[in-house]
């Protein structure tokens, strides 16, 4: 079973239909990684596959797809805009573990508490959020320190049923991605130096938080070792800092 393959296929083909997707380099050895985990009858192959693209407005569109049998499926899909746009991040963390499903879907804001920013990038999403939230109830506790990185339209849910993921979550994912590409289409480059500086700071704040707190770190370390994991996190999943210092 590969629960999130349809999400990935949909996202790539939908983006191709609206954007001029160019490849984004994936560091050698990180395109696909596999390991055998567990013992005896419980042995499972865990394969992590990476995908990455870029466009004129989007610095990095990347996905990590982890497939390890029925009770281990993850699709982490993030879009990082170029630093001369004030666009939010598209963030999807779709996670299935032995304990159940955990779904995080949002347009993650650069400036969480700025009214003009909210009016531009959150208010238009609220109708979509409310439509889906009726069927996808609030997932409960999540790290308080992560709050600044999510918008008021954050869909956060832990569905009991796989069917809910396949139907309701998939529908929400499609609607959020469409709305995001609408924002991208409308986005105009920022030229004001002061504004550009605050955007870079906000991107770095987000990136450092995600790289430091990556909830998948433990899992990846167990499967693939510490060295591979740190390189994957800093050299691919959350690579902005490296890209800035190596220009
Ligand atoms: N999460 C990632 C990447 C993953 C990934 C790159 C490639 O950022 C998977 C894999 N997320 C993943 C896994 C878990 C979570 C959990 C495997 C389960 C960890 C576990 O239970 O062992 C949203 N993801 C979570 C949680 C949240 C998110 C809130 C619960 C974490 C917890 O309870 O501590 N998305 C995640 C997040 C941000 C975001 C924290 C912060 C800005 O955008």
């Amino acid at each position: 079973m590969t629960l999130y393959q349809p999400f990935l296929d949909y996202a790539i083909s939908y983006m191709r239909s609206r954007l001029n997707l160019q490849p984004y380099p994936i560091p050698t050895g990180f395109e696909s990684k596999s390991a055998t985990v567990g013992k005896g009858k419980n042995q499972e192959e865990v394969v992590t596959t990476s995908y990455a693209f870029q466009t004129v407005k989007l610095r990095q569109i990347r996905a990590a797809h982890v497939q390890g049998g029925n009770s281990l499926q993850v699709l982490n899909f993030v879009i990082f805009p170029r630093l001369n746009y004030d666009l939010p991040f598209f963030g999807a963390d779709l996670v299935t573990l032995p304990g159940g499903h955990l779904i995080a879907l949002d347009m993650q804001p650069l400036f969480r508490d700025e009214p003009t920013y909210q009016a531009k990038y959150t208010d238009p999403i609220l109708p979509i959020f409310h439509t889906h939230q009726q069927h996808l109830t609030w997932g409960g506790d999540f790290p308080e320190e992560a709050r600044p990185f999510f918008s008021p339209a954050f869909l956060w849910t832990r569905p009991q049923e796989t069917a809910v993921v396949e139907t309701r979550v998939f529908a929400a994912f499609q609607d959020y991605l469409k709305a995001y590409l609408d924002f991208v289409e409308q986005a105009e480059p920022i030229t004001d130096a002061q504004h550009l500086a605050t955007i870079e700071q906000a991107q770095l704040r987000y990136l450092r938080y995600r790289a430091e707190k990556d909830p998948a770190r433990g899992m990846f370390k167990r499967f693939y070792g510490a060295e591979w994991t740190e390189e994957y996190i800093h050299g691919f999943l959350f690579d902005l800092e490296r890209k800035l210092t190596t220009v």
Side-chain angles (χ1 to χ4, degrees), residues 48 62 64-66 72 74-78 91-95 97 102-104 108 141-143 146 149-150 154 156 158 206 209-210 213-217 219-220 222 232-233 237-238:
T48 298
R62 59 69 173 165
H65 190 199
V66 184
L72 176 59
V74 177
L75 179 63
N76 182 267
F77 174 47
V78 181
D93 203 12
L94 313 174
V95 180
L97 297 175
L102 177 159
I103 303 294
Q108 302 190 268
D141 279 359
F142 83 98
F149 302 107
F150 292 103
F154 178 33
W156 168 241
R158 301 172 187 264
Y206 175 81
Y209 179 81
R210 298 240 12 207
K213 301 291 165 136
D214 190 341
R217 181 176 261 110
M219 171 185 91
F220 282 138
R222 261 185 292 122
Y232 192 51
I233 291 173
L237 291 176
F238 304 106

Side-chain angles (χ1 to χ4, degrees), residues 20 27 40 44 50 54 65 68 112 168 176 179 181 211-212 214 216:
N20 180 12
E44 244 346 316
S50 303
Q54 58 188 318
H65 190 199
R112 170 72 163 76
R168 303 286 189 188
Y176 273 61
L181 295 200
E212 189 186 327
D214 190 341

Side-chain angles (χ1 to χ4, degrees), residues 7-243:
F7 290 67
L8 183 60
D9 293 344
Y10 173 84
I12 293 173
S13 75
Y14 182 67
M15 289 190 297
R16 274 199 205 292
S17 76
R18 292 193 57 179
L19 301 169
N20 180 12
L21 288 189
Q22 297 299 316
Y24 182 97
I26 300 172
T28 309
F30 295 84
E31 303 93 338
S32 181
K33 177 76 176 171
S34 61
T36 306
V37 303
K39 289 208 169 82
K41 277 190 182 150
N42 295 321
Q43 273 203 347
E44 244 346 316
E45 187 79 357
V46 181
V47 183
T48 298
T49 319
S50 303
Y51 302 81
F53 308 94
Q54 58 188 318
T55 75
V56 284
K57 296 182 183 177
L58 303 171
R59 188 186 69 79
Q60 189 201 37
I61 300 165
R62 59 69 173 165
H65 190 199
V66 184
Q67 294 171 277
N70 276 330
S71 53
L72 176 59
Q73 295 287 321
V74 177
L75 179 63
N76 182 267
F77 174 47
V78 181
I79 300 178
F80 299 91
R82 291 196 191 274
L83 302 188
N84 60 332
Y85 289 89
D86 69 354
L87 287 161
F89 306 95
F90 182 88
D93 203 12
L94 313 174
V95 180
T96 299
L97 297 175
H101 309 292
L102 177 159
I103 303 294
L105 185 59
D106 197 13
M107 314 252 183
Q108 302 190 268
L110 290 173
F111 310 106
R112 170 72 163 76
D113 296 316
E114 280 185 19
T116 53
Y117 195 87
Q118 276 204 15
K120 189 171 179 185
Y121 288 127
T122 297
D123 293 355
I125 307 304
L126 290 176
I128 303 172
F129 169 69
H130 289 126
T131 301
H132 293 291
Q133 200 206 21
Q134 295 176 339
H135 309 286
L136 300 168
T137 50
W138 180 247
D141 279 359
F142 83 98
E144 185 58 30
E145 58 184 6
R147 249 185 69 82
F149 302 107
F150 292 103
S151 83
F154 178 33
L155 266 184
W156 168 241
T157 187
R158 301 172 187 264
Q160 300 285 327
E161 311 259 327
T162 300
V164 171
V165 176
E166 292 167 330
T167 57
R168 303 286 189 188
V169 173
F170 193 32
F173 180 80
Q174 295 181 24
D175 286 350
Y176 273 61
L177 188 59
K178 177 186 184 302
Y180 188 78
L181 295 200
D182 291 344
F183 285 148
V184 172
E185 201 167 276
Q186 289 153 25
E188 297 286 347
I190 306 295
T191 53
D192 176 70
Q194 183 72 49
H195 196 181
L196 288 169
T198 62
I199 290 171
E200 180 173 321
Q201 279 166 15
Q203 283 237 9
L204 284 170
R205 202 182 326 127
Y206 175 81
L207 195 102
R208 286 179 182 138
Y209 179 81
R210 298 240 12 207
E212 189 186 327
K213 301 291 165 136
D214 190 341
R217 181 176 261 110
M219 171 185 91
F220 282 138
K221 277 186 171 170
R222 261 185 292 122
F223 300 156
Y224 309 128
E227 197 182 331
W228 185 92
T229 299
E230 293 308 321
E231 196 51 32
Y232 192 51
I233 291 173
H234 294 284
F236 178 64
L237 291 176
F238 304 106
D239 70 355
L240 177 64
E241 241 169 342
R242 291 239 187 123
K243 297 285 170 181

